[in-house]
Amino acid sequence: MSSTQVAPLLSISGLTKRFGVVTALWNVDLSILPGDFVAIFGPNGAGKSTLLQLVAQLSKPSEGSIEFPEAADSGREEVGYVSHMSLLYNDLTGFENLVFFARLYGIEKPVERANELLEKMNLKQARNQFAGSYSSGMKQRLKIARAMLHEPRLLLLDEPYAGLDQHGSRLLTGLLKQLREEQRTVLLITHNLGEGLDLSSRIVIMNRGQVVYRAARDDVDETGFESLYFRTVEG
Amino acid sequence: MNALRLIGILAAKDLRIEYRSRHAFLTTLFFALLILIIFNFAFDPGNQSIKDAAPGILWVSLLFPGVIQLNRSFQSEREEGTLYGLILAPIDRGVLFFGKFLANFFLLALVDLFVLGSFFIFYNLTFSTRLGWLFLLMLLVGIVFSSVGTLFAAMVSSVRARDVLLPILLFPILVPVVIAAVNATREVLGTGELEFFWQWLRLLVASDVVFIAGSFLVFDYVVEE
């Protein structure tokens, strides 16, 4: 490796995942560099969520490997995961949820960390409300706060725009832009082509369990992206 | 971080959630008391047959409703996917098991206390120093029930027919423990010497060790995928 090359944060090689006779992912190779903001597009059933679950180590690959070259252990602590489900306890307040998970991660000052993230996510007013009573947008921001508790080096966001109204989407976009400015490494799955394109530094399109297109954001023509996407997934 | 502290954090979270809703606790307790009342009316009061059946009635009223508590114990994890959140945290799966086990054991022991008091009133039994032995039996059986129950509840938590499946899986495993508990209870409720009580007690202690170790070892595989 030359001295100018940056070591990847995440290196995926030959990744295959089968559920019985169904192959959800087939021979996926992907390398994520520190500071990358990668948007993953693809139709339903393309294997995007399966990919993120494998990276989060919630599931084991059938073949291939997922490596965090600079991680001391398996890399589980490198990852913050925001899934379709909230991963939050509805009967605990937003604050209690964050403090509980902060304690599990062994964070030194869980109360201070929870307050800091609630402030950052603009949820301080709703601190003592039960998570079950949060609106979709508030819950989405609390989900991201939970995933960021332990300052993960890689943030995995699985369709964070799902179920959000326009106001919620705008707030979320602001938050994601903030993450990009902080040079956080993010893997974002979204069906929202415009938002994904606007936020990302690299683009990946998946279809039928495979990566069918990848490019740097700067190499993609914004006006022609939608037709490129449909050509790629339908072709 | 200290594993015991983490177990405490996990159990405290479950107990806090249960304290706020009280769904599982109240339903379990109500069902247990209902069983005691039904059997109380089914038998002729003062008849010897009710005294013979009392140990069995007590354990039926403790174990069958306990399944409600176990089934509810993974409800939050199932509904909002928080089990993923727990698995993602850098903690040993054994810590997760013992956290759930401890919360289940505490809630079931609380139900046991209420049931025991009601049992003595409904069945007109006299309070004596032997009551302590009976509560000890309840705790020992509670350990087996909570450990195997926590394991199976985790196993069936993502299955649609979990409410039916849990008792079908759980009770066959518990048969030797229930036999030991009923026989030991018969001696405690009787007026004679505790002749075989200590043997049954030893069997229950051995069961506690075996079942808790087995459940702890298998739990890792259960939550793996």
Side-chain angles (χ1 to χ4, degrees):
Chain A
M1 188 187 292
S2 77
S3 58
T4 53
Q5 272 184 314
V6 181
L9 175 65
L10 168 69
S11 183
I12 297 171
S13 161
L15 192 66
T16 299
K17 178 69 181 177
R18 294 188 196 88
F19 297 102
V21 294
V22 177
T23 303
L25 274 184
W26 186 63
N27 202 23
V28 170
D29 295 313
L30 200 61
S31 201
I32 308 292
L33 300 173
D36 267 353
F37 199 118
V38 182
I40 303 179
F41 303 106
N44 292 333
K48 310 181 296 294
S49 296
T50 305
L51 175 67
L52 254 58
Q53 284 186 1
L54 288 166
V55 173
Q57 298 177 34
L58 291 170
S59 182
K60 284 185 175 169
S62 306
E63 284 168 33
S65 65
I66 297 167
E67 287 170 9
F68 292 86
E70 294 192 342
D73 55 7
S74 65
R76 179 168 282 168
E77 285 191 61
E78 304 285 315
V79 169
Y81 178 55
V82 176
S83 89
H84 293 287
M85 291 181 285
S86 78
L87 275 63
L88 297 163
Y89 291 96
N90 282 337
D91 291 321
L92 297 182
T93 65
F95 173 73
E96 286 169 344
N97 265 293
L98 294 186
V99 170
F100 168 70
F101 283 107
R103 284 186 174 140
L104 292 191
Y105 277 97
I107 290 163
E108 217 165 281
K109 292 178 177 172
V111 173
E112 285 81 350
R113 180 70 179 142
N115 280 327
E116 182 191 330
L117 281 166
L118 285 169
E119 176 102 53
K120 184 173 181 169
M121 300 293 158
N122 200 16
L123 288 171
K124 209 166 182 190
Q125 302 296 325
R127 176 184 189 274
N128 295 320
Q129 281 178 32
F130 288 123
S133 71
Y134 276 28
S135 68
S136 300
M138 290 161 78
K139 214 168 199 176
Q140 207 64 272
R141 281 180 277 147
L142 188 63
K143 281 161 73 173
I144 295 174
R146 190 202 60 76
M148 287 172 59
L149 272 169
H150 59 297
E151 295 274 8
R153 294 181 67 202
L154 175 62
L155 201 54
L156 308 173
L157 306 174
D158 193 350
E159 295 187 34
Y161 286 97
L164 293 186
D165 59 16
Q166 284 169 326
H167 178 64
S169 294
R170 202 172 65 180
L171 281 172
L172 182 63
T173 301
L175 178 63
L176 295 181
K177 279 182 176 164
Q178 196 183 331
L179 294 178
R180 190 186 59 187
E181 280 156 20
E182 290 169 4
Q183 289 287 299
R184 289 189 184 272
T185 315
V186 177
L187 258 177
L188 168 74
I189 290 179
T190 180
H191 288 294
N192 190 331
L193 300 181
E195 298 286 10
L197 205 59
D198 190 32
L199 289 162
S200 61
S201 62
R202 284 171 62 203
I203 285 155
V204 170
I205 300 177
M206 292 184 69
N207 194 27
R208 294 178 188 167
Q210 289 179 283
V211 172
V212 290
Y213 179 85
R214 67 182 87 201
R217 166 66 187 89
D218 294 340
D219 297 338
V220 176
D221 171 26
E222 198 170 335
T223 50
F225 183 66
E226 192 171 329
S227 57
L228 168 79
Y229 171 78
F230 284 110
R231 269 202 318 276
T232 310
V233 299
E234 286 167 5
Chain B
M1 194 196 285
N2 188 325
L4 285 177
R5 190 172 135 72
L6 282 170
I7 290 169
I9 289 169
L10 285 161
K13 177 265 300 170
D14 277 352
L15 293 175
R16 176 178 285 185
I17 289 172
E18 182 52 35
Y19 175 75
R20 283 178 179 162
S21 70
R22 298 188 185 93
H23 287 161
F25 176 75
L26 289 179
T27 317
T28 306
L29 181 62
F30 183 71
F31 187 23
L33 295 177
L34 209 60
I35 291 173
L36 284 182
I37 292 167
I38 289 168
F39 275 112
N40 190 39
F41 284 115
F43 287 94
D44 193 11
N47 195 314
Q48 182 57 35
S49 59
I50 196 168
K51 287 201 160 50
D52 292 340
I57 294 170
L58 176 66
W59 287 104
V60 166
S61 66
L62 288 171
L63 297 177
F64 277 45
V67 176
I68 297 174
Q69 163 61 36
L70 293 174
N71 251 328
R72 297 267 315 182
S73 66
F74 279 88
Q75 190 173 353
S76 321
E77 278 77 13
R78 184 174 60 237
E79 283 175 354
E80 296 297 329
T82 42
L83 189 60
Y84 280 162
L86 300 179
I87 291 170
L88 282 166
I91 55 173
D92 192 90
R93 306 276 162 87
V95 167
L96 290 184
F97 168 75
F98 279 113
K100 277 279 170 203
F101 160 78
L102 193 64
N104 278 331
F105 177 73
F106 181 82
L107 287 167
L108 289 170
L110 210 57
V111 171
D112 286 359
L113 266 178
F114 282 98
V115 171
L116 189 58
S118 311
F119 178 71
F120 271 75
I121 295 164
F122 287 141
Y123 292 87
N124 200 23
L125 300 168
T126 47
F127 285 89
S128 70
T129 49
R130 291 187 174 196
L131 189 67
W133 291 120
L134 194 51
F135 193 64
L136 176 66
L137 284 177
M138 287 177 159
L139 293 181
L140 292 174
V141 175
I143 290 173
V144 177
F145 188 74
S146 304
S147 60
V148 187
T150 300
L151 174 72
F152 285 152
M155 205 183 278
V156 301
S157 64
S158 56
V159 179
R160 197 171 294 172
R162 58 188 161 270
D163 294 340
V164 181
L165 214 51
L166 183 58
I168 289 173
L169 288 170
L170 185 60
F171 286 119
I173 301 266
L174 292 177
V175 166
V177 176
V178 175
I179 291 171
V182 169
N183 282 297
T185 306
R186 183 164 290 125
E187 294 223 5
V188 171
L189 295 180
T191 49
E193 289 289 307
L194 297 178
E195 197 180 350
F196 298 107
F197 176 77
W198 308 108
Q199 289 175 25
W200 294 119
L201 199 69
R202 275 200 291 273
L203 181 69
L204 286 174
V205 171
S207 302
D208 281 350
V209 175
V210 170
F211 280 104
I212 228 175
S215 304
F216 165 70
L217 291 172
V218 178
F219 190 78
D220 203 8
Y221 297 99
V222 169
V223 295
E224 190 62 42
E225 286 254 351

